Amino acid sequence: MQPLVNWPLADRRQITGVFTDIDDTLTTRGVITPDALQALADLRAAGLRVIAVTGRHIGWCERLARGDAAQGIAPWSADALLAENGALALIPVSLNKVASQPPDSKGEKPLKIYQQTGTERAANTARMQQVALRVLREVPQARLAQDLGGRETDLAFDYNERHHLTPAEVQQVLAILHDERMHTSVSSIHIHGCLGDFNKWQGACWLVQQLYGRELASELAHWVFVGDSGNDQAMFEHLRHSVGVANIRHGAASLTHLPRYITASERGAGFAEVAQAILQARAV
């Protein structure tokens, strides 16, 4: 990981879109700080696309899309929110191209679009309930994440948010999910398992196609990803321009794919560094 200051000016000038993780990338101790909020606003004001990509559940993302006064978040501080590690997304009505769901009468409610059909999701929900029971039975210390408001396409176990598991216990949970033929990832706070080959990169490609009718893989020079944890690795692997906020160092030894650059500051302040680097390049 090279210092962010090594990111060439010519490369930064080409950036027209920003993908960003949320937890411990935009947030600091669970809150999106004023510097990160301002950075999001400045990027969008400059005409860049901003898409948040998170393992958080869709209900949590819906609250962000509406705005959250407690976190100081204005409605739609991003162009779209890709939730549950890429399985589904929230998009503003104004950006909708293909979703069959009609807007509400006031045009205020964002659209929810899925990669799986309703039939697939119903079958997977029943299966995931069985898997969750097995994990909780075989790893008594495990706890499901407190996903009030709805997680629809994957399981999440809390190992580092409100409840803490040892590294050995994390591996026990992952072993069971693998035995159940689930795809897994580990964020800075949750262990995820899903019945579908979803990850942030696959989801980002799907969403860019849905929103803009374009192939993300063919325009990698124009996008950057900012993240901090294990479930960001697919983005670090595929994005030509990738940045880790400084707190990624805490878990870097366990990652196979690292970002190309790293900020000097952690969390929201680190994201603000990335935004500043992009906007300064456009001003030169």
Side-chain angles (χ1 to χ4, degrees):
M1 297 182 289
Q2 302 177 49
L4 184 63
V5 294
N6 290 0
W7 191 8
L9 182 67
D11 288 347
R12 286 182 277 144
R13 281 179 179 153
Q14 295 189 70
I15 298 299
T16 59
V18 178
F19 291 107
T20 179
D21 175 48
I22 297 179
D23 286 299
D24 294 319
T25 298
L26 290 178
T27 64
T28 302
R29 290 184 291 277
V31 176
I32 301 182
T33 48
D35 51 359
L37 281 172
Q38 188 61 53
L40 288 169
D42 291 345
L43 288 167
R44 297 194 71 204
L48 281 86
R49 301 292 190 189
V50 179
I51 297 176
V53 188
T54 182
R56 288 281 191 177
H57 67 88
I58 193 65
W60 188 87
C61 291
E62 287 176 314
R63 291 196 294 276
L64 289 188
R66 292 193 302 267
D68 189 328
Q71 293 202 17
I73 300 169
W76 287 110
S77 53
D79 288 279
L81 288 166
L82 188 63
E84 300 182 24
N85 288 310
L88 69 165
L90 288 176
I91 64 173
V93 171
S94 60
L95 288 179
N96 182 42
K97 302 291 187 190
V98 300
S100 58
Q101 177 184 348
D104 73 346
S105 58
K106 295 182 180 179
E108 296 173 349
K109 186 177 181 180
L111 298 175
K112 187 160 49 173
I113 58 175
Y114 299 85
Q115 293 209 56
Q116 293 175 325
T117 66
T119 301
E120 289 173 317
R121 297 197 306 274
N124 288 345
T125 295
R127 178 84 178 96
M128 287 189 296
Q129 289 172 343
Q130 295 175 347
V131 175
L133 290 174
R134 178 184 171 188
V135 171
L136 297 176
R137 182 176 63 251
E138 297 184 19
V139 188
Q141 302 86 351
R143 299 290 184 276
L144 286 165
Q146 293 183 20
D147 290 335
L148 301 177
R151 180 174 291 275
E152 298 188 23
T153 62
D154 74 349
L155 288 174
F157 296 90
D158 184 352
Y159 83 96
N160 195 36
E161 186 178 26
R162 295 178 177 86
H163 184 71
H164 296 278
L165 296 179
T166 66
E169 289 163 349
V170 170
Q171 291 305 312
Q172 282 183 276
V173 174
L174 287 170
I176 294 170
L177 298 179
H178 292 156
D179 186 57
E180 295 286 350
R181 302 181 186 232
M182 299 188 83
H183 294 272
T184 64
S185 61
V186 181
S187 74
S188 61
I189 55 175
H190 293 157
I191 305 163
H192 296 274
C194 66
L195 294 167
D197 191 7
F198 301 122
N199 60 55
K200 291 187 177 184
W201 163 251
Q202 186 270 349
C205 291
W206 165 72
L207 188 56
V208 167
Q209 178 63 48
Q210 296 292 296
L211 291 178
Y212 313 121
R214 303 199 308 263
E215 299 296 327
L216 177 58
S218 68
E219 50 185 70
L220 295 182
H222 303 294
W223 291 86
V224 62
F225 173 72
V226 190
D228 78 295
S229 63
N231 65 334
D232 295 326
Q233 288 187 91
M235 296 294 273
F236 294 150
E237 178 184 6
H238 291 283
L239 267 291
R240 184 180 306 174
H241 305 299
S242 60
V243 183
V245 288
N247 44 292
I248 195 173
R249 292 191 189 279
H250 304 318
S254 65
L255 303 183
T256 302
H257 301 287
L258 293 169
R260 181 167 294 187
Y261 303 104
I262 186 169
T263 62
S265 301
E266 295 191 349
R267 300 177 171 83
F271 179 83
E273 282 184 41
V274 179
Q276 183 179 38
I278 295 168
L279 295 174
Q280 285 178 341
R282 293 166 69 89
V284 175

